Amino acid sequence: MSDHLSITPEVADALSAGQGVVALESTLLAHGLPPGRNREVAQRLEHIVRQAGAIPATIAVLDGTPHIGLTEPELDRLCAPDAGFAKLSRRDLAPAYALKRNGATTVASTATLAHQAGIKIFATGGLGGVHLAAPGETSWDVSADLDVLAHTPVTVVCSGVKSILDIAATVEVLETRSVPVVGYGTNHFPGFYLRESAHTVPWRVDTAAEAAAIVHAHGSVPGESGVLLVNPVPEAHELDRDLHDRLLAEGMAMLRQKGIRGKDITPALLAHFHAGSGGASLSANTELVADNARVAAEVAVALAQLR
Ligand code: PSU
Ligand code: MN
């Protein structure tokens, strides 16, 4: 089936040479950031990965074909204001292939395609998780990102989960599904815009070499799960906590009032934060993704040396 993947020559060569490759996802570009800004970020992420000595592979579905690595004109298409790329989770891949659609891939589908292509590590902003339920109810909105991480051996570097989620429940699901969670220079599970949530992480590393050693050792543990490496937003770009709490409360009320559900929740909330924070949430989001790309590339390089 991997014949079906369109892999750029640069990424294919790097993979066969055993060089570090970092997968990057496209939903954060097409649905998480405003047009214009998304194109700059796409460019910058690829540049950061290269500077660390690894090869970037941005992943998306174009005209029904999964692409591992995008050319400049393909990035232009993905980031255009009127691009109309669907948000594709893993379950949406088959319909998108069969109906020859364009789509941006989430953490779940990017990790799936990265694994299919033989890529071991992937950088994003925030992992999807368990959504908050009304008091006394159970939330059935649990991101497929968690399920895919439980049975796809890829390391995801992210800044925790968005504070719009039930972080406690998300951390519990990761434990139940045997996904190692490792803090990168932190003892806390990060909250995306905020460096620390109320939860700690079971393991901490302070260097890319230590992180790579864990990823390598994880390969000798029976099972198919991935690894979650959590790296907090750089201190200078953390959102002010009071502004954050106000925007979150307003955003949750807006979702209820407009009846926004399912996969539309995350993009709507990110847009609400971007509109209400005078650019602060946009710079937090941009800088955390950039730093995750740097960390992922450094770990990919260290991992390539171990193998
Ligand atoms: N990180 C960002 N912006 C985003 C996302 C991550 O900085 O938009 C996306 C990822 O693609 C992730 C998705 O898989 O948010 C979560 O969506 P959901 O809650 O519908 O599972
Ligand atoms: Mn969901």
Side-chain angles (χ1 to χ4, degrees):
M1 247 329 258
S2 64
D3 304 348
H4 176 61
L5 298 175
S6 171
I7 307 184
T8 59
E10 185 191 28
V11 172
D13 289 349
L15 286 170
S16 55
Q19 198 189 342
V21 176
V22 174
L24 298 167
E25 61 132 313
S26 44
T27 289
L28 78 87
L29 299 171
H31 297 281
L33 295 170
R37 182 60 164 253
N38 58 0
R39 187 65 183 84
E40 283 165 33
V41 172
Q43 196 81 21
R44 188 168 158 213
L45 298 179
E46 298 212 343
H47 178 71
I48 288 169
V49 170
R50 285 180 205 286
Q51 281 220 303
I55 298 297
T58 304
I59 294 180
V61 176
L62 299 177
D63 306 312
T65 300
H67 281 58
I68 313 295
L70 299 182
T71 62
E72 298 284 320
E74 287 166 349
L75 285 172
D76 290 342
R77 263 176 87 183
L78 171 73
C79 295
D82 50 357
F85 276 57
K87 178 178 167 184
L88 305 179
S89 190
R90 181 179 150 113
R91 69 166 187 170
D92 304 304
L93 290 174
Y97 296 169
L99 303 176
K100 309 251 181 286
R101 297 292 160 78
N102 292 321
T105 50
T106 64
V107 170
S109 49
T110 306
T112 300
L113 291 169
H115 176 56
Q116 190 180 6
I119 301 173
K120 309 272 179 229
I121 185 152
F122 152 38
T124 184
L127 183 73
V130 182
H131 281 264
L132 286 159
E137 286 180 13
T138 301
S139 173
W140 292 100
D141 186 350
V142 179
S143 178
D145 292 356
L146 297 182
D147 201 57
V148 168
L149 205 48
H151 60 74
T152 308
V154 165
T155 295
V156 178
V157 183
C158 71
S159 300
V161 299
K162 291 156 205 123
S163 44
I164 60 178
L165 298 168
D166 185 334
I167 300 181
T170 303
V171 166
E172 290 297 338
V173 171
L174 288 166
E175 181 178 345
T176 304
R177 305 302 305 272
S178 296
V179 176
V181 177
V182 181
Y184 195 77
T186 185
N187 296 315
H188 293 267
F189 193 83
F192 195 71
Y193 293 129
L194 303 175
R195 287 179 58 83
E196 294 180 1
S197 70
H199 304 271
T200 54
V201 288
W203 297 98
R204 169 186 177 139
V205 295
D206 289 280
T207 64
E210 286 177 328
I214 291 179
V215 173
H216 188 67
H218 187 64
S220 66
V221 178
E224 283 287 278
S225 78
V227 173
L228 190 65
L229 185 62
V230 290
N231 176 42
V233 57
E235 222 163 320
H237 299 280
E238 184 178 29
L239 214 59
D240 173 77
R241 205 169 263 272
D242 291 337
L243 174 65
H244 167 274
D245 293 352
R246 179 170 65 75
L247 288 170
L248 181 59
E250 280 174 15
M252 298 302 280
M254 176 275 294
L255 293 178
R256 270 192 302 276
Q257 194 203 331
K258 293 191 178 167
I260 294 172
R261 301 176 143 268
K263 69 178 185 181
D264 297 329
I265 290 178
T266 299
L269 251 136
L270 291 175
H272 176 77
F273 268 79
H274 296 335
S277 67
S281 81
L282 209 47
S283 83
N285 198 346
T286 303
E287 298 303 325
L288 68 86
V289 179
D291 204 51
N292 294 338
R294 175 188 64 83
V295 169
E298 290 174 3
V299 176
V301 169
L303 197 57
Q305 282 162 2
L306 283 177
R307 285 208 245 99

